[in-house]
Amino acid sequence: QVQLVESGGGLVQTGGSLRLSCAASGSILDINVMGWYRQAPGKRRELVASITSGGTTNYADSVKGRFTISRDNGKKTAYLEMNSLKPEDTAVYYCNARLRVVGGLLPRDYWGQGTQVTVSS
């Protein structure tokens, strides 16, 4: 079984910072991409940022310059450093990992349970 466990969400004022963590565990062979998605009430889930095993990153335009994604391959953990937070960043943030399990042939997506980020104005 593969688990993605997120931590670090919470309530912060406009302009504040938060750091999210996502730790993957289980019978994992390799992790291709780790990413963060978010879903606000009444909206579709959207990609916030992603990072490959080689360190290539991709960001949504709305967070460029404010958010930084990183990962520790040895710890199977991804991080999302969020600075200059705005009320429109309020959402449930989900960790995603595209990985192969031991004995598996093809990578597939796994999701964390989500962590709430609320930015007050």
Side-chain angles (χ1 to χ4, degrees):
Q1 288 282 33
V2 172
Q3 277 193 315
L4 299 181
V5 179
E6 300 130 334
S7 60
L11 173 64
V12 65
Q13 291 185 332
T14 297
S17 299
L18 284 174
R19 187 184 194 226
L20 305 183
S21 299
C22 171
S25 63
S27 299
I28 298 170
L29 183 61
D30 53 38
I31 303 176
N32 296 348
V33 183
M34 297 189 80
W36 290 95
Y37 289 71
R38 67 186 180 187
Q39 187 167 20
K43 295 190 176 182
R44 297 175 62 179
R45 189 174 296 189
E46 63 175 359
L47 173 68
V48 176
S50 64
I51 183 168
T52 68
S53 57
T56 300
T57 58
N58 180 46
Y59 294 94
D61 288 343
S62 59
V63 306
K64 283 180 181 176
R66 300 188 298 122
F67 291 10
T68 302
I69 190 171
S70 60
R71 66 188 275 180
D72 184 327
N73 290 329
K75 294 182 178 180
K76 298 184 180 66
T77 299
Y79 307 95
L80 185 68
E81 188 75 36
M82 304 185 293
N83 298 314
S84 302
L85 282 161
K86 306 174 181 180
E88 49 263 45
D89 294 317
T90 296
V92 177
Y93 283 69
Y94 296 91
C95 177
N96 168 270
R98 178 160 295 176
L99 59 85
R100 288 192 301 167
V101 296
V102 174
L105 293 177
L106 297 175
R108 53 157 287 194
D109 286 331
Y110 290 83
W111 293 89
Q113 79 285 357
T115 185
Q116 178 70 46
V117 171
T118 302
V119 184
S120 64
S121 57

